Amino acid sequence: MISPALPELPDGVTVTALRDLAVRLATAAGALVREGRPDRVVVAATKSSEVDPVTVMDRASEELLREMIAAERPDDAILGEEGDDVAGTSGLTWVLDPIDGTVNYLYGVASWAVSVAVVAGPPEPASWTVLAGCVHSVADGRTWSAGLGEGATRDGVPVRVGAAASLGTSLVGTGFGYDAARRAHQAQVLTQVLPKIRDIRRLGSAAIDLCLLADGSIDLYYERGLNPWDMAAGAVVATEAGAVVTGLRGGPAGNAMTVAGPPELVAQLSEILEAADADGARSPEIG
Ligand code: LIP
């Protein structure tokens, strides 16, 4: 995949410096959350449904990220999963997921991450340009980062998407939303996908899924219902590693659908997803 054109950046700002900051932010928040994890994590509140939890450490992690950004880049805007939007004047927005994979964090399953990205343009996947991002998988310390036009790395080593021979031998990551009707539809879609691939992985963090795709640990990824903070950092890691990250029916990646992988496999998977109405284009009542 060819990186999108680099937009004009504020004076003195470079992609490399933004990427370095994204890594520092994600690892600092990761250390806070790792050290502060109690033996028994409790749910502080729920959001879109009773199975969509927030913990005290989601909030503490995002607070730390916001404080560090305010100190280092006071003119930038902030869009975070757990707090109010902060307006900025620089044209750059930090897109924050303080814990992606909160359910795993809650249960002590190792797949959860701090995800930090910085974007130019409106902070929504259809129109932003992601300049840099970092996904820090806190339990095992793996850290993926990417800068626009700079490539992607895991723990400093360049990564590339894998080259699965065919859709039939592809290992495909996916995820499910928090709404019951949406989940029922996602389960139906899965019945169309599963017989045509090697297997499915539902690991519980979209940010990590996109990074595993980037380093060839899985071959493809698709999910409906991603929020901007679930995907911003992972998407730049994946595209800089050679993946296409797109929506269905010629649209951009976003809430309706995100499909990622090598171009030819994405095209084949997208055909199945479109036929199964995986983006809800023919069933808007499901939401
Ligand atoms: C979660 C994801 C997960 C996805 C869920 C949810 P959270 O983010 O990353 O993989 O399937 O729908 O968006 O809620 O843990 O930040």
Side-chain angles (χ1 to χ4, degrees):
M1 166 106 180
I2 299 165
S3 308
L6 183 64
E8 202 177 323
L9 298 180
D11 275 354
V13 174
T14 64
V15 166
T16 307
L18 293 172
R19 179 181 181 175
D20 288 348
L21 179 54
V23 173
R24 277 193 289 122
L25 290 165
T27 48
L32 176 87
V33 181
R34 189 180 51 246
E35 281 150 29
R37 186 177 189 280
D39 286 341
R40 181 121 199 97
V41 181
V42 293
V43 175
T46 55
K47 295 187 291 184
S48 59
S49 80
E50 65 174 356
V51 293
D52 182 5
V54 185
T55 71
V56 168
M57 291 315 279
D58 285 85
R59 291 175 176 159
S61 170
E62 183 153 327
E63 219 157 281
L64 176 68
L65 293 169
R66 285 170 181 263
E67 280 166 19
M68 289 178 72
I69 293 165
E72 299 211 26
R73 303 249 352 131
D75 298 333
D76 295 352
I78 298 175
L79 173 68
E81 180 172 15
E82 311 300 349
D84 294 337
D85 298 355
V86 172
T89 54
S90 66
L92 305 185
T93 303
W94 292 86
V95 182
L96 311 174
D97 195 334
I99 300 181
D100 185 58
T102 302
V103 174
N104 284 341
Y105 177 71
L106 189 62
Y107 282 80
V109 176
S111 187
W112 50 278
V114 180
S115 173
V116 174
V118 56
V119 309
E124 45 166 283
S127 37
W128 69 25
T129 303
V130 188
L131 299 171
C134 175
V135 175
H136 176 52
S137 168
V138 182
D140 59 17
R142 283 178 301 176
T143 303
W144 294 265
S145 75
L148 186 64
E150 289 189 344
T153 57
R154 185 188 64 213
D155 300 332
V157 179
V159 292
R160 291 298 291 173
V161 285
S166 67
L167 185 63
T169 57
S170 289
L171 187 61
V172 182
T174 193
F176 308 113
Y178 290 115
D179 173 77
R182 169 75 62 88
R183 283 179 167 187
H185 183 65
Q186 287 173 316
Q188 276 173 10
V189 171
L190 197 53
T191 65
Q192 301 303 304
V193 175
L194 194 50
K196 303 187 180 83
I197 59 172
R198 184 189 296 275
D199 207 345
I200 279 287
R201 291 293 177 268
R202 197 302 191 235
L203 300 170
S205 161
I208 293 179
D209 289 335
L210 284 161
C211 292
L212 293 178
L213 171 82
D215 71 19
S217 301
I218 59 174
D219 299 307
L220 277 162
Y221 168 76
Y222 78 92
E223 185 162 351
R224 182 172 177 200
L226 293 187
N227 291 302
W229 43 81
D230 297 319
M231 62 181 294
V236 71
V237 171
T239 52
E240 287 295 321
V244 179
V245 180
T246 184
L248 295 184
R249 308 173 211 284
N255 190 270
M257 179 53 61
T258 297
V259 192
E264 58 294 353
L265 292 179
V266 165
Q268 291 171 44
L269 177 60
S270 295
E271 215 173 288
I272 297 167
L273 294 172
E274 286 173 13
D277 195 30
D279 56 352
R282 295 194 300 275
S283 46
E285 71 287 354
I286 293 170

